[in-house]
Amino acid sequence: GLRGDPEATNPVDRAAEELDVTYFYLSPGSFWAFQKPRWELLHGLWTSEAVTPVYLDGTVMIFAVNEAFTEAQLEEVVESGRRDSPDEIPAVAGAEMEP
């Protein structure tokens, strides 16, 4: 989405589709003091309806791209992630599955 239009297609949506992206992996945050945090990644993925959080270990986060999986596959990935994640994955707006 875009600010003011959460359903709009954006460059990341197009790139993910063209590159056949199945997961977004984030880790860790900025290293150097002069680097600004990428809030659109750190917070945006948690509120996106297009991805589902599947793994969490401190600053390591993995999100599955929902359209890359069937519903059954996504359920399996979420179940595996909840079982194997060192940290509990919080329920979020974009998550399709129940905790």
Side-chain angles (χ1 to χ4, degrees), residues 45-46 51-55 62-64 78 82 89-92 94-96:
L45 286 172
W46 286 102
V51 296
T52 300
V54 296
Y55 185 85
I62 301 176
F63 296 83
V78 168
R82 289 191 190 283
I89 300 170
V92 295
E96 299 280 335

Side-chain angles (χ1 to χ4, degrees), residues 59-94:
T59 61
V60 175
M61 297 165 257
I62 301 176
F63 296 83
V65 176
N66 296 343
E67 288 187 6
F69 300 92
T70 66
E71 189 172 325
Q73 290 170 327
L74 189 58
E75 287 177 12
E76 186 177 323
V77 169
V78 168
E79 182 180 319
S80 173
R82 289 191 190 283
R83 182 181 59 246
D84 298 336
S85 290
D87 296 328
E88 183 177 341
I89 300 170
V92 295

